[in-house]
Amino acid sequence: MKLSDFVCVDAIVPELAAPERDKAIKELVVALEKAGKLGSTSADAVARAVIKRENEASTGIGKGVAVPHVKHKSIGGVVAAIGCSAEGMEFSSLDKQLVYSVILLLSPSDNPDKHLQAMESIFKNLQKDDFRRFLRQAQSVDQIVEILHDAEDV
Amino acid sequence: MVEPIFEIEIEIKNADGLHMRPAMQFVDVASKFDSEIKVSNADTVVDAKSIMQMTMLAATFGTKLTVRAEGEDAEKAAAAIRELVEVKLFDEPAGG
């Protein structure tokens, strides 16, 4: 699965409005809602579910990136939003560093294998120093889209 | 002196597979040991102590992984990992 297969271009936010975890999550979920990706559920409900999951264990896995995610019954297929913050935000990361790039992933609740394939694609790319650096430096939707298209097909 | 090496095959038995939380548990268990521990599926070999690498495995229910531990406590490490994956199932429901 390729990142560009499931990242919603209309939910790419090159500069998040507020460098705070919960607000960033909310902003990305709202962007997905506007793009028509949430099915019958409200952005509020989905954001709450993502934050609840985040509070159980941080998805800030270090090196300036976080991958908040949740499986939700109203989600038709895996879909992701990307948000960046030049300032960085507190995310209770494993390495205690600020997070500059957030990839928010929503998955259907009945297809764990699809969720894993999307995670594999995200992490294979996040593993790469160049990918993280380009994402952190990107300043426009077009630049991020280009990074996604150049990303590895996994 | 040559360090002991233990290589075992484990099978993912929880329905949701090796998603992020199980991967974190895996890393926690592996990190308790001094041995170098590598985990591999068909085409990817990763460091069992790195969450970013472990999540990359994306091992679904039924996937067989090879765990290779090298070091003084290799045997104990391999046993602890088997326990977590195949007996405790990461405290998650079984698949199948």
Side-chain angles (χ1 to χ4, degrees):
Chain A
M1 200 188 286
K2 221 172 162 337
L3 277 179
S4 52
D5 293 340
F6 60 93
V7 171
C8 174
V9 173
D10 292 331
I12 292 175
V13 184
E15 186 58 52
L16 290 159
E20 285 174 42
R21 185 193 75 172
D22 292 4
K23 287 181 181 166
I25 288 171
K26 186 73 193 292
E27 188 175 352
L28 293 174
V29 172
V30 167
L32 286 168
E33 181 184 46
K34 283 182 182 155
K37 301 291 186 187
L38 296 193
S40 57
T41 311
S42 71
D44 259 347
V46 173
R48 270 202 307 276
V50 174
I51 290 165
K52 179 169 177 279
R53 160 66 186 85
E54 199 59 41
N55 286 338
E56 287 165 10
S58 175
T59 63
I61 46 150
K63 300 193 176 181
V65 296
V67 188
H69 59 271
V70 81
K71 292 174 188 157
H72 201 283
K73 59 182 187 312
S74 76
I75 303 298
V78 289
V79 63
I82 296 181
C84 303
S85 168
E87 200 179 322
M89 70 195 97
E90 175 55 47
F91 227 94
S92 307
S93 290
L94 297 181
D95 64 359
K96 313 219 185 321
Q97 303 298 307
L98 295 178
V99 162
Y100 302 90
S101 309
V102 178
I103 301 181
L104 178 128
L105 176 71
L106 303 179
S107 302
S109 50
D110 59 356
N111 197 338
D113 291 6
K114 238 348 184 236
H115 172 74
L116 285 173
Q117 286 160 17
M119 289 295 251
E120 176 187 19
S121 177
I122 291 170
F123 283 97
K124 278 205 168 153
N125 286 295
L126 283 180
Q127 262 252 104
K128 294 189 202 121
D129 296 342
D130 276 354
F131 182 86
R132 290 196 310 275
R133 193 172 72 243
F134 293 151
L135 196 56
R136 187 168 163 180
Q137 289 168 350
Q139 289 174 343
S140 70
V141 173
D142 287 349
Q143 282 175 2
I144 294 173
V145 168
E146 198 182 321
I147 294 166
L148 298 180
H149 280 284
D150 291 345
E152 185 187 5
D153 190 356
V154 293
Chain B
M1 200 185 96
V2 179
E3 298 271 26
I5 295 174
F6 270 82
E7 192 169 297
I8 59 168
E9 187 179 72
I10 54 170
E11 184 176 341
I12 300 294
K13 295 181 170 178
N14 58 310
D16 285 350
L18 193 67
H19 59 103
M20 195 185 263
R21 261 181 298 183
M24 283 179 169
Q25 288 172 269
F26 200 118
V27 170
D28 283 346
V29 169
S31 300
K32 287 179 187 157
F33 299 93
D34 294 326
S35 293
E36 181 185 69
I37 307 171
K38 298 282 184 199
V39 186
S40 52
N41 61 13
D43 49 15
T44 313
V45 185
V46 304
D47 179 354
K49 298 180 185 181
S50 158
I51 182 62
M52 206 176 289
Q53 292 191 26
M54 282 299 297
T55 312
M56 213 171 80
L57 278 179
T60 54
F61 167 70
T63 300
K64 291 191 171 74
L65 299 172
T66 302
V67 178
R68 187 179 192 278
E70 182 171 357
E72 282 300 319
D73 55 9
E75 186 175 8
K76 281 183 184 165
I81 288 169
R82 188 189 293 286
E83 166 92 9
L84 174 71
V85 177
E86 295 189 337
V87 181
K88 288 188 184 157
L89 311 182
F90 306 104
D91 304 315
E92 291 200 355

